[in-house]
Structure formats: structure tokens, C-alpha cells
Amino acid sequence: MLEANYEQQLTKLLPWQKVSFIASLAERSFPNYKLFSEACETGDAKQFRLSLDLFWESLTVKNSKINFTIQFDRFEPIIPNVDKFDVYGVYPALDACVTLNSAFNSLVAPDPDVNEAINASRVSIGTVASYLEALAGEELDDEVIFADEFMQEELKFQQAVLDLLTVQKSPESMKTLRQFAKNDGISNIGITLD
């Protein structure tokens, strides 16, 4: 399990830092959605990419005017329904959408009692955990899951994003964060689009 200190760091983030953190997790999970979308000929990876790009634009361009309520209305239909697919890939794809949905929730209808950064963090960690269990073909103990290399990489990635968010917000710092979040095109479960 995550240390309480880690989630405590997430509760102290400023609104722009929360959105940046969530966008970073969504960026890293984008290959999961895109591969599912292409393999099952469903969804719309271009719309996911556009929605994610607009979050990065809002973080990079001062006084950007993006109506995220309208953007959410365009994003919502591409969220996969797990009941309609009999392939494992639907789950990481759904998790990618849930993560990006957390960014929308942070901007469109923020709930002071809900920390969307914590939600996104848990979803991303859950994606890795469920992937490891799918590979093993059985439920695994937390100790086994958190000792796995994929999970260690996930936790390191999230901490590195938090570390990158300690600098003053600027277009350059956001571009650096976005480039880091792309993770050389490799998702949190090792999916690559190259």
C-alpha cells in the first residue's frame, strides 16, 4: 500500500498542480487507451488525445479559454463500457479514461471533499495491480504486487511527477513535465505504440 506521507503530499497540491499531476498520469496511460481503441475498433483515440492536449494547453498557455464542460461532453462518449468487451484491454483503457475524467472533475465541478489527484493516483496504481494479477492468473498479495518491478516503476514515476511540480509553474516547466509524462511512449503496464 502507499505510505500515508505520499497521499499527504497529494492533498497539499495547489489546483494547477493537481491537474498537472492527473494529466501526467493520463499521458502515461494514453497508450493503454489507444491500443484498445485500435485493436477493438472502438472509442476514439484522437478525441482522448485532443482532450488531454487541451489540459496541457490550459496549463501552458496563460489565460487560455477552454470550455471544459463542452470538452467533457465530447470526451464522455469515448469511455468504454466493460460489459461490451471480452478482452482484458478494456480495463486499462477504462482506467485511462477514469484518470482523465479526474482532470475534468477537478476543473468542471470540483468537489472540496474529493481529491481527484489521489483518485487518479489510486486508479493508476490499480491498473498496474490488476495487470499483474491478470498476468499471474490469480489474486496476489499486496506485498507481492508492491514488490514487482512494474509497481516500483509506477510509484517512482508518480513521485518524480510530484518532484517536478515543486518548481514555479511556467510554460517551460509544464513542457518538461509533459515530456517526462510521455515516458518514451511506454504506459504504466508496458504498452508501447512504436
Side-chain angles (χ1 to χ4, degrees), residues 103-135:
F104 279 109
N105 290 343
S106 291
L107 293 178
V108 175
D111 181 340
D113 296 327
V114 176
N115 188 315
E116 294 293 346
I118 290 174
N119 290 346
S121 171
R122 289 176 180 171
V123 167
S124 192
I125 288 166
T127 301
V128 175
S130 67
Y131 175 70
L132 295 173
E133 289 181 335
L135 285 178

Side-chain angles (χ1 to χ4, degrees), residues 15-50:
W16 72 266
Q17 291 172 314
K18 287 179 185 177
V19 173
S20 301
F21 180 82
I22 297 165
S24 295
L25 297 182
E27 187 71 57
R28 188 167 183 231
S29 66
F30 173 67
N32 299 340
Y33 182 84
K34 186 172 183 189
L35 179 63
F36 166 75
S37 179
E38 290 174 354
C40 294
E41 298 178 352
T42 188
D44 187 346
K46 288 180 183 178
Q47 181 60 51
F48 188 107
R49 176 82 259 159
L50 174 63

Side-chain angles (χ1 to χ4, degrees), residues 37 43 59 64 77 80 96 102 110 116 148 157-158 172 175 191-192:
S37 179
L59 292 163
S64 63
S102 290
E116 294 293 346
D148 189 90
F157 175 83
Q158 289 193 27
E172 293 76 29
K175 288 176 185 173
I191 302 294
T192 183

Side-chain angles (χ1 to χ4, degrees), residues 8-22 59 106-107 110 114-118 162 165-169 174 177:
Q8 191 174 29
Q9 290 178 67
L10 294 173
T11 63
K12 294 180 180 178
L13 295 177
L14 298 172
W16 72 266
Q17 291 172 314
K18 287 179 185 177
V19 173
S20 301
F21 180 82
I22 297 165
L59 292 163
S106 291
L107 293 178
V114 176
N115 188 315
E116 294 293 346
I118 290 174
L162 284 172
L165 289 172
T166 61
V167 300
Q168 178 83 18
K169 181 185 175 193
M174 290 296 98
L177 178 62

